[in-house]
Amino acid sequence: MPAAAPDARPSHAPQGATGGPGCRLPTLLLWLAVVAGPAAWAAEVVEEEQDFLFAETVVAHPAADPLLGLIDSRPLLSLNGKWRLIVDPMGVGEPGSVFGGFPRNKRSITGMELVEYDFETARSVNVPGDFNTQDPRLFFYQGRVWYYRTFEAPARDGSRQHLWFGGANFTTTVYLNGEAVGEHKGGYVPFSFDVTDRLRPGSNALIIRVDNRLSATSVPTLRTDWWPYGGLTRDVALVQTPASFIRNANARMTDQASREIEVRVETSGMEAGSTATVVIPELNVEQTFAVGADGVAVGRFTAPVEPWSPEQPTLYEVEFRAGGDRISDRIGFRTITTRGRQILLNGVPIRLRGISTHEEPIGEAGVAYSAEHARRLLGEATALNANFVRAAHYPYSRHMAKAADELGVMLWEEVPVYWNIAWNDPGTLALARDQVERLVRRDWNRAAVIIWSVANETPLSDGRMRFLTRLIDDARELDDSRLVSAALLGGGREQFARIIAHLAARGLERGGLDAHAETVFRAILERAGAAAPGPDDGYTVTIDDPLGELTDVVAYNEYFGWYYSAFFADQTGVGEAVLRPLMLALMRDMRIEASVDKPVHISEFGAGAKAGRHSADLHVWSEEYQAEVYRAQLA
């Protein structure tokens, strides 16, 4: 294989050194010793040697191309399957290092070459899939890994070839035939690189470095409540397009009464004034629009479409044509709006009944990546008579939204702006905006997706408001045919103090308390004075986060039957065994409302349990306690 790209060498490598930019350390040291002499060696080279040996090489790589949409309707070569994997926690495989760099995949030919790592004999892993669950030694590993495989390039015929990734966690650097192609930061969303001019006739070697470490400025940040599975977690393919092609296309219904359809066709390499055509064969629709100077064609027309709904998830084959290119998608048409505190699907008020989930397959370990995985997850929801699923807290594979379209399940999709990230860091904002854009552009044809969510449980600050306002504006500018929301955080000192007073009143009324709990409860009610609640009084939780003024739906995460009892125990010194039954009783007399006239959606609630763990005494982590929390919550 050829040497690493010239721009991968350390900036301090001597120009003209024997062996060129890919020279090994002994050659460099010999050159310095001969030219500079022993004294210079002692005075000048030690620091240089330490830097050369131990400094991590930082190289800027090209960014990924704008999102390539509708790839499933294109000719493609799947690169899924077995890949070779080398784990590299120390970064010794970086190009330009003293060890040569893994992208060269140097093998020992004579038996005398200093080769420690060889991809050809490395362990095999499946792609797509996370590396953590494919080797028990890597389950908790967070760091760099290198993937390797070869493939046969298609014959050159004037088309463009795009190396496409459905998603990889979290920083991905791509090398083709030993040369750097580009890099993408941010997990879960698709990205691609045009590699037409880098492919060789016959066999090509593809090496991918994936680093699943998170940082204080990444999205998500260092701490999450889901496992950050690493690696090539989604499909990988070589996607073929014409030289001038349709990069992406979108069709949506903008008016329920007239059945007006708006179409957007984004082209690459096509001249202004050329035409783009949309065809819906089932409805005998064929409409043509002009491509503008920006390469985009936009048009509107009416068509007798049957609106998509959970009860009737109607999909139409829609074909987009421009130049010599044509792509297609199965698209449902519907409207989703709000009116006061109601959500309207196709102009009719609906209630979202559903669950939140994670992208983990049922009955298997690791990350869910296939269409079958998605259908099983949604099947669990529909078995519960759900019409809605929140895909928390990050974009799932494209298969999830496609399956939701087919099964009639409304979907909330979210980017991993989670808890307290670096609100004032421009790089963090750029990462979040890229993830919003790639998610929206990937799934903007999916009728099932009714809500874009820009965040989860973020604490209030000026930086947070500026950051999330930008994401909300981005989502609406990209696609204003869906609702925008963010899962807001429950609780707060004043609110919790009032809830504790209600628990105290109910506890004293119920009786049977130990001396400590009774003393604490009486002191709480005495402090409340005239505002002290009675034992039968209900309580209204008012959501007043200012972000709710910007979103279409006020979404609220609350765990009154789960985490909050632990908080109250810490604050009062009264044990959870006393507080939990009181909390479950109070929940039935609680209301939740917003300070603004908008729909309220309970985006999270519940309790954890280990499947098969039972307790007649309703101990936590049992299925019985979990069920009791659900009963109180629903009431």
Side-chain angles (χ1 to χ4, degrees), residues 393-595:
H393 295 289
Y394 40 83
Y396 294 10
S397 81
R398 72 192 190 285
H399 300 300
M400 175 63 89
K402 286 191 169 188
D405 261 7
E406 296 167 1
L407 296 174
V409 178
M410 293 178 287
L411 204 61
W412 158 312
E413 292 196 321
E414 188 166 286
V415 293
V417 176
Y418 187 88
W419 290 353
N420 203 0
I421 68 169
W423 302 118
N424 299 311
D425 185 88
T428 303
L429 178 59
L431 284 173
R433 295 186 69 186
D434 181 74
Q435 291 185 46
V436 168
E437 180 169 0
R438 290 180 181 276
L439 173 61
V440 170
R441 288 185 177 277
R442 186 194 73 181
D443 285 348
W444 59 6
N445 283 328
R446 305 279 73 83
V449 179
I450 62 168
I451 295 176
W452 303 123
S453 171
V454 299
N456 179 78
E457 295 183 354
T458 52
L460 181 61
S461 71
D462 290 341
R464 173 257 206 175
M465 290 300 297
R466 289 190 298 270
F467 192 107
L468 296 184
T469 297
R470 178 68 266 176
L471 297 190
I472 290 169
D473 289 345
D474 283 355
R476 290 201 174 110
E477 289 168 13
L478 288 163
D479 172 32
D480 62 2
S481 69
R482 289 169 175 81
L483 308 178
V484 178
S485 192
L488 304 179
L489 198 59
R493 185 184 300 274
E494 183 179 347
Q495 185 183 101
F496 279 0
R498 292 198 296 269
I499 292 173
I500 288 173
H502 279 268
L503 297 177
R506 288 174 181 246
L508 291 171
E509 174 71 13
R510 176 176 294 186
L513 301 171
D514 60 40
H516 173 71
E518 184 170 345
T519 299
V520 170
F521 284 169
R522 291 193 184 281
I524 289 171
L525 294 180
E526 287 174 9
R527 275 200 306 271
D536 298 321
D537 289 350
Y539 178 71
T540 298
V541 177
T542 301
I543 310 164
D544 58 1
D545 189 315
L547 198 65
E549 299 175 10
L550 305 180
T551 60
D552 298 306
V553 175
V554 179
Y556 182 65
N557 290 0
E558 52 89 352
Y559 287 95
F560 289 107
W562 190 239
Y563 296 116
Y564 294 177
S565 295
F567 299 160
F568 299 154
D570 288 340
Q571 292 176 19
T572 64
V574 176
E576 292 178 58
V578 174
L579 293 173
R580 287 190 179 276
L582 297 175
M583 188 72 253
L584 291 174
L586 176 60
M587 285 172 65
R588 291 172 167 84
D589 297 321
M590 294 178 71
R591 285 181 55 84
I592 298 175
E593 62 182 29
S595 59

Side-chain angles (χ1 to χ4, degrees), residues 32-322:
L32 289 170
V34 171
V35 174
W41 169 263
E44 299 175 16
V45 178
V46 172
E47 182 177 352
E48 186 77 6
E49 176 190 356
Q50 290 173 340
D51 180 49
F52 185 76
L53 275 170
F54 303 116
E56 182 171 339
T57 305
V58 178
V59 180
H61 297 295
D65 297 336
L67 184 124
L68 185 64
L70 282 66
I71 65 108
D72 292 309
S73 67
R74 292 198 174 279
L76 59 81
L77 172 66
S78 174
L79 298 178
N80 292 347
K82 293 291 185 181
W83 290 58
R84 299 289 184 175
L85 184 82
I86 293 176
V87 179
D88 185 19
M90 300 300 177
V92 300
E94 301 299 317
S97 76
V98 66
F99 303 99
F102 288 170
R104 301 179 58 168
N105 192 30
K106 188 168 69 69
R107 301 185 68 193
S108 182
I109 299 172
T110 68
M112 296 301 290
E113 290 82 7
L114 184 61
V115 176
E116 186 175 359
Y117 302 97
D118 179 4
F119 280 110
E120 306 294 348
T121 58
R123 79 190 81 186
S124 293
V125 294
N126 293 317
V127 171
D130 62 279
F131 61 73
N132 302 96
T133 56
Q134 296 192 55
D135 186 331
R137 295 171 296 177
L138 300 180
F139 187 79
F140 292 110
Y141 178 67
Q142 290 182 276
R144 286 162 286 214
V145 299
W146 297 82
Y147 286 84
Y148 166 79
R149 68 159 291 162
T150 60
F151 64 94
E152 294 293 316
R156 287 185 177 272
D157 58 2
S159 62
R160 308 301 299 178
Q161 300 291 338
H162 307 263
L163 187 57
W164 181 89
F165 299 83
N169 294 351
F170 288 95
T171 301
T172 308
T173 312
V174 179
Y175 299 88
L176 182 60
N177 297 322
E179 296 185 358
V181 171
E183 184 171 85
H184 182 260
K185 293 184 178 180
Y188 308 111
V189 289
F191 57 95
S192 64
F193 304 93
D194 188 325
V195 294
T196 308
D197 300 330
R198 296 176 181 269
L199 291 172
R200 296 172 171 175
S203 182
N204 288 257
L206 187 56
I207 294 181
I208 315 293
R209 183 192 67 183
V210 185
D211 190 341
N212 72 325
R213 289 176 298 177
L214 297 169
S215 71
T217 57
S218 60
V219 180
T221 189
L222 283 166
R223 190 174 183 184
T224 68
D225 77 342
W226 71 91
W227 188 245
Y229 292 111
L232 299 176
T233 56
R234 308 273 169 80
D235 298 318
V236 182
L238 194 66
V239 180
Q240 179 178 307
T241 68
S244 297
F245 61 96
I246 301 171
R247 181 168 292 281
N248 205 355
N250 166 241
R252 60 182 186 167
M253 186 163 69
T254 57
D255 184 76
Q256 159 69 20
S258 66
R259 302 294 202 268
E260 182 183 68
I261 307 298
E262 182 180 271
V263 173
R264 179 182 179 89
V265 181
E266 300 176 347
T267 68
S268 176
M270 296 188 189
E271 295 182 356
S274 58
T275 59
T277 302
V278 59
V279 180
I280 309 177
E282 187 176 341
L283 301 177
N284 296 315
V285 168
E286 183 169 335
Q287 298 284 330
T288 299
F289 310 99
V291 174
D294 58 357
V296 178
V298 178
R300 296 189 178 194
F301 58 90
T302 59
V305 295
E306 269 308 313
W308 181 98
S309 69
E311 297 75 26
Q312 189 172 341
T314 305
L315 301 175
Y316 295 91
E317 189 74 18
V318 180
E319 186 175 82
F320 304 94
R321 303 171 184 170

Side-chain angles (χ1 to χ4, degrees), residues 25-38:
L25 180 61
T27 305
L28 172 66
L29 300 187
L30 177 61
W31 183 87
L32 289 170
V34 171
V35 174

